[in-house]
Amino acid sequence: MGARPIIQVENLSHTYMKGTPLEHVALKGANLYVEEGECIAIIGHTGSGKSTLIQHFNGLMRPESGKVIIDGVDLSKKKVDVKTLRQKVGLVFQNPEDQIFEKIIGDDIAYGPFKLGLPLKEVRERVKWAMSVVGLDFEQMKDRQTFALSGGQKRKVALAGILALKPKILVLDEPTAGLDPKSRNELLEKIKRLNREEKLTVIFVSHNMEEVAMLADRIYVMAGGKDVLCGTPKEIFTDKEKLQLHHIGTPETVQVLYRLTDLGYKVSVDAFSISEATEEIIKVLHGTKEDLEDVQRV
Amino acid sequence: MSSEFEISRSITIGQYVPTDSYIHRLDPRVKLLLFVVIVVAIAFNTSYIGNAIGLFLSLYLFWASKIPISYGLSGVKPAIPFIIILALLQLLFQGQLFSGGKVYVDYGFILITSESIRLVVVSAVRFIEIIFLSSVLTLSTSTTQLTHSIQSLLSPLKKINFPVHEISLITTISIRFVPTFAIEMEKMMKAQASRGADFGTGGWWRIIQRTKETFPIIIPLFNIALSRAEDLILAMESRCYTPGGNRSSYSVYKTLAKDYLVLLVGLLFAYLLIFYPFPF
Ligand SMILES: Nc1ncnc2c1ncn2[C@@H]1O[C@H](COP(=O)(O)OP(=O)(O)OP(=O)(O)O)[C@@H](O)[C@H]1O
Ligand SMILES: [Mg+2]
C-alpha cells in the first residue's frame, strides 16, 4: 500500500436545490482520507449522504464549501480538467438504469473508450476485457438490447462501462445490490483482485456487512451528512458501544461470536472472516471441560 | 459552480411548494380560471404601463404565496437566451409589420421604429410574466387540485361528449412530469459526463455549443419518457383505474366569499388590462 493520499475530503458540505424552498442539506462537514491502493467501504443509513459524497469524487458535484482534493487536483478551484478527472475516477451509480443510455450493450460499454479517442481495435479490446471482468459473455451479450436486461445484468453492464475507461480510482455505489449470491461473490472476488493485483484504489458504498468485512481495508461510517466513525473492520466491528450508538449492523459471523461471548464462551469477536469464525466456533465445540464448567456457572 | 448538473433547480413549473399561504388556500378553480383570464388579458395588452402592472402583479403573487422571488427568477433564467433571440429576430425582421411612431433606423429591410421597439420589449416582458404566473399557479396548487379544477371548469363540455376527465388528467400529468424529466435529464447528463462527454464547459451564452451538447441526451430521454409512461400505466391499472369510470372525489371544494372576492378583483384587473387606454 502506497502512503500517498489520493482522495482528501475536508469539511465538505452540500445542499440540494440551494436557494429554493425545497432545499435539503445532504452533507454537513464530511471528512474522508484515502491512500493510493486502499479499499475503502462507506456505510451508513439510507439518506446519510453517501451517494452525495461520492459524486464529488469525479467532479459531478463541486464542493459548495470545504475541500475535495483528488490525486493532487483541488476541485474547489474554478478551472479543473474534469474530463481527465472523470477518466481517472470511474463512478458507478447506485441505479444502473441511470447509467446506461445506449441501445446496445456493446455500444454502451464502448462509449467511454470512444470518447477517449482510442482506435477501434483498442476500444474492442477494452469492451471485451470489461465484459469478462464483470462476467458477461462478449459474443453472446454484445449485441443485446440494454432495455431488455434483468436488474443484475444492467448492474454488470453499468460497471463494465466504467471499467472500460480503465480508471485509477473505482468508486462503486452499492455494486452488488440486486445480484444473486453467485454473481455477487464472483464480482466481489473480481473487485478484490483489481484492488490487490492491479493496484486500483476502490471506494464502495454498501449495506452488506459481510461484503464490507471481506473487502475493506478501512470503513467510514456516515450519519446525518457527516463521517462519524472510521477504522479498520476489526476496530469498527469490535467496538460494541459505537456499533449500538450509530445503529451499525455487523456481519453475521460477528453476531454469532457476540452471542457466544454473551453466553460466556471465550471467543475473540474480531474473527469475522468466515474461516476465522469457523475456527473459533470449532474451538468452542472442542472446548475443554473447564471451559464448559465455566459456562455453566455463568 | 456546484450546480453544473442541477437543472431541476431552475424548473419552477410543475413543482408544488407547500407553504400554506393565502394563495395556497384559495379555491383551485378560482385560481385556474383567473390564471387563464389574466394570461389572455396580458396577451391583449400592448402598452408599457399595462405590462409593467402585469409584471408587478406576478411578482406580488410570489410574495403573497410565500415563495421566494429568487426561486421564480431561477425559472426564468433558462428562458433568457430564447427571449433574447426572439427579441432580436423581431427587432430586425418584423419592423415592417409594426411600423409607426418615430423612425430610428431605416436601413435596407431593417426598420426600427418606436412601435417596433415597443413590440419587442412588450413581448419579452409578456413572456416573463407568463412564466411567472404559471409558476405561481403550479407552485401553489397540488396536482390533484389542478386535475379537479380543470375537470370542473371543463365539465359543461361533457354535454357534447368532450372527454373532460381524460383531458384534465393528461394535462396535469404532463405538468407534473416537467420536474421529473428535469431530474431524468440531470441523471442522463451525469451518466454521459462520467464517461467523458463534455457538458457545461461553455457558459450559458454559448448557445450553439450548449444546444449541440443536448442532442445526445434527447433520444435516450425519449426512451425514458416512454418507459416512465409504461410504469405509470401499470401503477394506475394496479390501483384499478379505469378510463371513463365514474368517480367521486375525496376533497370537495367550496367556493367561499373570499374566493368570490378574489375572482371579482381578478376579473376587474383583467378587464382593465384589456380595455383601459393606457397612455404609454
Ligand atoms: N437530487 C436531489 N434533490 C434533493 N435532495 C436530494 C437529491 N438527492 C438526494 N437528496 C437528499 O439528500 C440526502 C442524502 O442523499 P444520498 O443519496 O446521498 O443518501 P445515501 O446515503 O446515498 O442513501 P442510500 O443508502 O439510500 O443510497 C437524502 O436525504 C436525500 O433525500
Ligand atoms: Mg445512495
Side-chain angles (χ1 to χ4, degrees):
Chain A
M1 199 184 299
R4 209 167 69 92
I6 197 154
I7 296 183
Q8 286 164 278
V9 176
E10 278 166 34
N11 207 9
L12 179 69
S13 300
H14 184 81
T15 311
Y16 280 107
M17 309 285 272
K18 201 181 171 73
T20 76
L22 304 165
E23 74 177 23
H24 182 96
V25 181
L27 286 179
K28 38 189 166 194
N31 296 284
L32 184 112
Y33 176 86
V34 182
E35 280 174 9
E36 198 167 10
E38 266 189 310
C39 183
I40 300 286
I42 302 177
I43 61 176
H45 275 266
T46 286
S48 55
K50 305 177 297 291
S51 299
T52 312
L53 173 66
I54 62 172
Q55 285 185 47
H56 283 84
F57 296 164
N58 76 343
L60 284 181
M61 289 182 176
R62 294 297 193 84
E64 191 178 276
S65 75
K67 259 193 180 156
V68 178
I69 301 173
I70 310 288
D71 203 8
V73 180
D74 185 351
L75 297 194
S76 48
K77 295 267 162 56
K78 231 184 158 75
K79 279 248 176 275
V80 176
D81 181 1
V82 280
K83 247 185 125 165
T84 317
L85 175 74
R86 288 181 187 144
Q87 193 268 315
K88 200 185 294 173
V89 185
L91 173 66
V92 183
F93 295 171
Q94 185 163 1
N95 268 325
E97 278 91 0
D98 297 345
Q99 185 137 15
I100 299 167
F101 47 83
E102 294 280 2
K103 278 181 86 168
I104 308 287
I105 294 182
D107 289 351
D108 194 81
I109 300 174
Y111 182 91
F114 266 126
K115 280 280 165 186
L116 291 177
L118 297 175
L120 194 63
K121 213 173 131 235
E122 166 111 33
V123 171
R124 212 179 144 82
E125 282 310 306
R126 283 203 181 191
V127 173
K128 243 183 187 162
W129 172 79
M131 286 178 78
S132 76
V133 171
V134 297
L136 289 174
D137 187 75
F138 178 74
E139 289 305 329
Q140 214 174 46
M141 299 294 280
K142 72 178 191 326
D143 295 321
R144 288 269 301 269
Q145 302 258 342
T146 47
F147 72 86
L149 291 177
S150 75
Q153 286 169 330
K154 278 185 186 157
R155 201 161 272 287
K156 290 178 174 181
V157 172
L159 177 58
I162 294 299
L163 285 176
L165 287 166
K166 298 233 168 169
K168 243 174 100 174
I169 307 169
L170 186 60
V171 185
L172 307 157
D173 203 343
E174 302 188 24
T176 58
L179 291 185
D180 61 274
K182 184 169 162 281
S183 323
R184 175 188 219 115
N185 283 337
E186 281 171 9
L187 187 65
L188 290 176
E189 283 301 326
K190 290 272 165 60
I191 294 173
K192 199 169 180 172
R193 275 236 312 276
L194 286 171
N195 175 243
R196 307 282 137 95
E197 285 165 22
E198 315 224 352
K199 301 282 171 265
L200 213 67
T201 308
V202 175
I203 297 154
F204 69 104
V205 172
S206 181
H207 289 294
N208 182 317
M209 295 304 146
E210 275 76 35
E211 210 168 286
V212 171
M214 169 185 159
L215 279 183
D217 296 320
R218 280 191 304 131
I219 302 174
Y220 274 90
V221 182
M222 301 271 303
K226 272 198 284 256
D227 57 309
V228 286
L229 211 56
C230 154
T232 61
K234 272 201 170 126
E235 284 163 3
I236 301 273
F237 292 138
T238 51
D239 192 340
K240 214 168 175 186
E241 267 169 46
K242 293 251 174 65
L243 286 177
Q244 260 160 13
L245 179 65
H246 298 295
H247 307 283
I248 307 166
T250 52
E252 270 171 35
T253 49
V254 177
Q255 280 169 27
V256 170
L257 295 172
Y258 268 126
R259 283 262 329 151
L260 286 172
T261 34
D262 283 350
L263 291 173
Y265 293 99
K266 285 190 193 121
V267 292
S268 72
V269 287
D270 59 6
F272 49 74
S273 79
I274 295 201
S275 55
E276 281 177 310
T278 321
E279 256 166 50
E280 286 292 317
I281 293 168
I282 290 173
K283 249 194 258 165
V284 171
L285 290 176
H286 293 194
T288 55
K289 260 259 160 67
E290 290 156 50
D291 272 350
L292 285 177
E293 275 164 15
D294 264 2
V295 173
Q296 261 141 26
R297 243 176 284 136
V298 175
Chain B
M1 178 72 194
S2 69
S3 61
E4 192 177 327
F5 298 103
E6 260 198 304
I7 316 163
S8 52
R9 235 199 101 215
S10 51
I11 299 289
T12 49
I13 295 178
Q15 191 76 264
Y16 178 58
V17 179
T19 58
D20 196 31
S21 72
Y22 174 70
I23 303 278
H24 284 70
R25 273 173 278 136
L26 276 182
D27 186 326
R29 290 168 297 180
V30 170
K31 267 193 276 186
L32 184 66
L33 186 65
L34 279 182
F35 168 75
V36 174
V37 171
I38 291 180
V39 165
V40 169
I42 284 173
F44 268 104
N45 194 297
T46 52
S47 72
Y48 284 120
I49 295 183
N51 276 282
I53 294 175
L55 193 62
F56 180 78
L57 171 80
S58 39
L59 290 175
Y60 165 78
L61 286 177
F62 266 100
W63 179 78
S65 46
K66 295 188 191 155
I67 294 164
I69 289 174
S70 60
Y71 190 43
L73 286 176
S74 65
V76 172
K77 218 176 107 189
I80 287 176
F82 298 100
I83 295 179
I84 292 176
I85 293 179
L86 210 67
L88 279 179
L89 290 179
Q90 276 184 327
L91 193 63
L92 293 179
F93 301 113
Q94 286 202 317
Q96 313 285 357
L97 293 176
F98 293 88
S99 54
K102 243 164 91 186
V103 176
Y104 292 117
V105 178
D106 189 354
Y107 180 81
F109 64 90
I110 296 174
L111 178 66
I112 297 177
T113 64
S114 62
E115 276 308 301
S116 70
I117 288 181
R118 175 204 294 277
L119 171 81
V120 167
V121 172
V122 164
S123 33
V125 175
R126 243 184 224 155
F127 202 74
I128 296 172
E129 285 164 66
I130 292 173
I131 295 178
F132 275 158
L133 286 176
S134 35
S135 302
V136 170
L137 177 72
T138 52
L139 287 172
S140 69
T141 318
S142 71
T143 321
T144 332
Q145 286 181 331
L146 265 184
T147 322
H148 281 308
S149 40
I150 294 177
Q151 204 170 330
S152 90
L153 287 182
L154 294 181
S155 58
L157 294 176
K158 265 190 197 144
K159 290 205 181 77
I160 55 166
N161 276 338
F162 184 79
V164 171
H165 174 74
E166 284 72 14
I167 294 287
S168 56
L169 190 72
I170 291 169
T171 319
T172 34
I173 287 177
S174 44
I175 295 175
R176 168 62 189 76
F177 267 58
V178 171
T180 308
F181 282 131
I183 292 172
E184 290 297 341
M185 187 161 155
E186 218 171 276
K187 284 181 189 161
M188 181 69 59
M189 288 170 75
K190 277 184 177 177
Q192 299 196 357
S194 294
R195 290 198 266 158
D198 286 306
F199 283 119
T201 40
W204 60 268
W205 60 90
R206 299 179 64 181
I207 295 163
I208 295 179
Q209 190 191 337
R210 300 223 88 165
T211 313
K212 265 196 201 151
E213 285 171 2
T214 51
F215 280 130
I217 324 174
I218 290 176
I219 293 168
L221 207 57
F222 262 110
N223 284 337
I224 290 176
L226 289 177
S227 68
R228 277 276 176 160
E230 270 177 5
D231 291 347
L232 187 64
I233 293 167
L234 279 182
M236 286 168 76
E237 279 189 340
S238 64
R239 293 180 202 177
C240 303
Y241 177 86
T242 34
N246 225 346
R247 46 182 65 76
S248 59
S249 95
Y250 171 68
S251 45
V252 177
Y253 301 109
K254 273 211 202 89
T255 320
L256 307 172
K258 63 166 189 186
D259 295 311
Y260 283 115
L261 191 67
V262 170
L263 183 64
L264 195 69
V265 173
L267 288 178
L268 202 66
F269 185 82
Y271 177 83
L272 284 181
L273 273 187
I274 298 178
F275 296 109
Y276 186 78
F278 289 101
F280 185 63

